[in-house]
Structures are given as C-alpha cells and as structure tokens.
Amino acid sequence: MTDFYENEPLMVEETIEDWVITKCEDWRDYYESNYEARFEEYYRLWRGQWDPADSERRSERSRIISPALQQAVESNVAELEEATFGRGKWFDISDNMGDTQKEDVLFLRNKLTEDFENCMVRKSVAECLINAAVFGTGVGEIVIEEMKEMAPATQDIMGGDLQAVGVNVTNRVVVKLKPVLPQNFLIDPVATSVDDAMGVAVDEFVSLHQVELLQEQGVYRDVYVGPAAPDTDLEPDQDITIYNDDKVRITKYYGLVPRELLNSALSDDDEEEVSEEDAGSRYVEAVVVVANGGILLKAEANLYTVSNVYSYCL
C-alpha cells in the first residue's frame, strides 16, 4: 500500500465497487436535493399529467393541462432537427491544411455517414434534443459494441458448375449514441463540465439477459447477478406500473479511481496491474461497472483519450 493511504485506514478494507457506489450515492443525493422535483415537474407539464403539487390555489379543482407547452417544446425541437439534419450532410470532417489528397477525407465522411445511418445515430441525437428542450440538459453516452454485419454473396460449388447464393456474416466494432435521461446521469457536483469532473456515471435498469450475454462474451465477470430491488426514481415515467422482474441495476462509472483499488480489482482477475507512469499519481482513469449496488462486473483502465459521456445544454 502506498503512502497515499497511510492516513486513510478505511481505504485498506474498501473495494473499488464500494468506492464507486459511495461516490454515486453522494452525487445522487445532491441531484435529488436540487433538481429532482423541478425535472419531475417539467416532465409532467410536457406530458400533460396533472399533479396536486402543480395547483396554484387550494380551491382549484380543474385537472386540465394546456397543450401549449407541449406544442412549444415539440415545435422548437422540430426546428432544431431541421437546422441540424435538413441540409443532407449534417456533419463534416476537416482535412489537413497541407494535404493535397482530398479523396481520403471524402471517403471517411461518406463511410461515417453510412455507419451513423446503420447505428441510427440521427434518431438518438433527436432524442437528446427533446430531452434538452424539456429538462434543459441533453446527455448522450457513447457506446462501443460489436455487431454482425451481413452482406449478400455468392460461392461456386460442384466444381464451378453451380453457384450458391447466400450472405456473409462478419463481426465489426461500431460506435453508437445512447440518450440518457437526467435521473440516470450522475456527475461530480463541483464540476462545471465533464472534463473537469472527477467522474460521471450512468445509473439505470437493464434487462437481465443483456448482462448474461455480456458475461458469456467475457465482457463482464462471470458472477451471479440477481434481479434488482425496485426504484421508481430511475424510471422514465413514475406514473406507470413498474415491471420489477428480470432487470438489473447497472452503474457505469467513467472517471478517476484510486490506483491501489483498481490494481487490487485487477489482481483478483489475474490481470496485469496498471503501470506506474507517474510515480506521484494517486488516481487513474478507469471504467467500472457495478450491478445492484455492490457486484463488480468490470474494472479496467480507460484506454480512450476522450470522455465516454458528453453533454450539451440549450
């Protein structure tokens, strides 16, 4: 144990999942104290749902919600979508100033456009826009997945006398954009941006089979994960009947973690510890996934130089 933790005896017994969950609980307490009531009110007004807390007078008995706010929000979002996607090419790639070969950048732009269409990135951006218009902040998580790509193909059989027609299946890595609701996004309260924060987390419910499939692929640890306890605060709509079976609460943390805790988690998996690039570095950038508030599914150093989560405000 390094000198950093000599004055912190609790760190000797603490695990990385405990450290992450403690941070996320503190950040959620801050969100619930300052923003939860407002965001729930914004959502009700946008959806036209009546609530006694929205009544201005005690004698008021009307439950009619004017659709003017919903119309204004959706009209504003429609204008933003038209300004963003209406010109056909909704993004561009800048070439190097001294590069005389312009075809490479043109190929990359067309290929990226095709990948965005296959991954339905435009639909995800539109959902981020509607969240930004309703809540004031739109958040999206960049997810890297491996998908199967199928293409028609032919193959000669019977010595070339016949030709079989079918499809070729290849595995490739794609990048997707996943919209995140404000109640599922946690960030360091003292930070002014994602880059300045100690870390960010996405806290949400997922289907149990998704976790089991990732365990079979070796992405997550092969540990038992049971159904999670219900929590209406994480649901997108608190007024509907909640389905509580076969779902897991996943907390994905992206940010700095104590180096000693990460090395301890990696040693449990018989993996190589994080190298000491800086002898005085106490923290290391990592990705930690915790299930049901205490089951470690994944802990590894972050290999990417940019943040996995970005946000923007309108």
Side-chain angles (χ1 to χ4, degrees):
M1 194 66 67
T2 62
D3 296 337
F4 287 126
Y5 305 102
E6 290 182 353
N7 298 326
E8 299 183 28
L10 294 179
M11 289 289 292
V12 178
E13 301 295 336
E14 191 176 26
T15 60
I16 191 170
E17 58 268 27
D18 295 334
W19 186 89
V20 167
I21 292 300
T22 300
K23 286 289 183 184
C24 292
E25 288 178 350
D26 294 340
W27 297 349
R28 179 162 295 281
D29 291 340
Y30 177 82
Y31 164 79
E32 291 177 351
S33 301
N34 295 276
Y35 300 103
E36 184 180 35
R38 295 181 182 179
F39 284 175
E40 289 180 356
E41 179 184 0
Y42 298 158
Y43 182 84
R44 290 196 305 268
L45 294 176
W46 172 54
R47 285 298 189 185
Q49 299 173 351
W50 180 85
D51 189 88
D54 299 331
S55 300
E56 298 179 357
R57 301 183 307 273
R58 288 188 177 181
S59 60
E60 182 178 327
R61 294 186 296 176
S62 176
R63 297 192 177 188
I64 298 177
I65 304 297
S66 174
L69 178 61
Q70 182 179 8
Q71 181 180 1
V73 170
E74 295 183 354
S75 298
N76 187 25
V77 172
E79 294 178 0
L80 291 175
E81 291 186 25
E82 178 64 25
T84 304
F85 307 114
R87 295 174 294 178
K89 300 294 182 181
W90 50 282
F91 71 92
D92 201 358
I93 301 178
S94 300
D95 199 357
N96 297 333
M97 184 173 296
D99 188 7
T100 58
Q101 300 292 334
K102 303 298 181 182
E103 293 80 6
D104 54 349
V105 174
L106 181 61
F107 170 79
L108 291 176
R109 187 184 65 182
N110 294 335
K111 183 60 178 176
L112 191 58
T113 302
E114 179 183 354
D115 291 343
F116 279 177
E117 292 177 354
N118 294 335
C119 297
M120 295 183 289
V121 173
R122 175 173 175 174
K123 173 179 175 294
S124 300
V125 173
E127 188 171 344
C128 290
L129 290 176
I130 194 69
N131 291 336
V134 174
F135 302 107
T137 301
V139 182
E141 179 187 8
I142 300 176
V143 181
I144 300 177
E145 294 182 359
E146 184 177 291
M147 65 176 295
K148 296 183 182 296
E149 190 176 63
M150 294 181 290
T154 59
Q155 182 178 357
D156 294 334
I157 59 175
M158 302 294 291
D161 295 335
L162 297 177
Q163 195 174 53
V165 179
V167 294
N168 282 337
V169 180
T170 57
N171 295 328
R172 58 169 305 197
V173 177
V174 296
V175 179
K176 297 182 179 181
L177 178 64
K178 179 182 178 182
V180 180
L181 290 173
Q183 64 264 30
N184 300 125
F185 180 72
L186 305 174
I187 189 172
D188 187 358
V190 298
T192 57
S193 66
V194 173
D195 294 332
D196 298 335
M198 184 176 189
V200 297
V202 179
D203 190 14
E204 61 187 359
F205 288 113
V206 301
S207 298
L208 179 60
H209 78 277
Q210 296 182 8
V211 178
E212 293 175 343
L213 290 176
L214 291 176
Q215 287 178 327
E216 292 178 358
Q217 299 172 10
V219 178
Y220 289 164
R221 288 183 172 188
D222 188 12
V223 294
Y224 173 75
V225 179
D231 190 344
T232 57
D233 293 337
L234 298 182
E235 301 292 345
D237 191 347
Q238 283 78 28
D239 292 336
I240 62 176
T241 302
I242 305 301
Y243 181 76
N244 295 322
D245 297 333
D246 295 333
K247 67 179 183 180
V248 181
R249 181 171 182 172
I250 294 295
T251 303
K252 291 179 286 187
Y253 175 86
Y254 306 96
L256 299 175
V257 299
R259 183 183 296 273
E260 290 294 329
L261 296 182
L262 180 60
N263 287 336
S264 177
L266 294 177
S267 63
D268 294 340
D269 292 339
D270 297 331
E271 296 184 6
E272 185 178 355
E273 295 183 356
V274 181
S275 61
E276 293 279 353
E277 297 180 358
D278 186 358
S281 175
R282 178 176 183 176
Y283 296 100
V284 60
E285 191 82 19
V287 179
V288 182
V289 181
V290 182
N292 296 339
I295 304 174
L296 181 62
L297 293 179
K298 180 179 180 181
E300 64 180 14
N302 195 347
L303 304 177
Y304 307 104
T305 57
V306 298
S307 300
N308 291 72
V309 180
Y310 78 97
S311 63
Y312 56 90
C313 302
L314 295 180

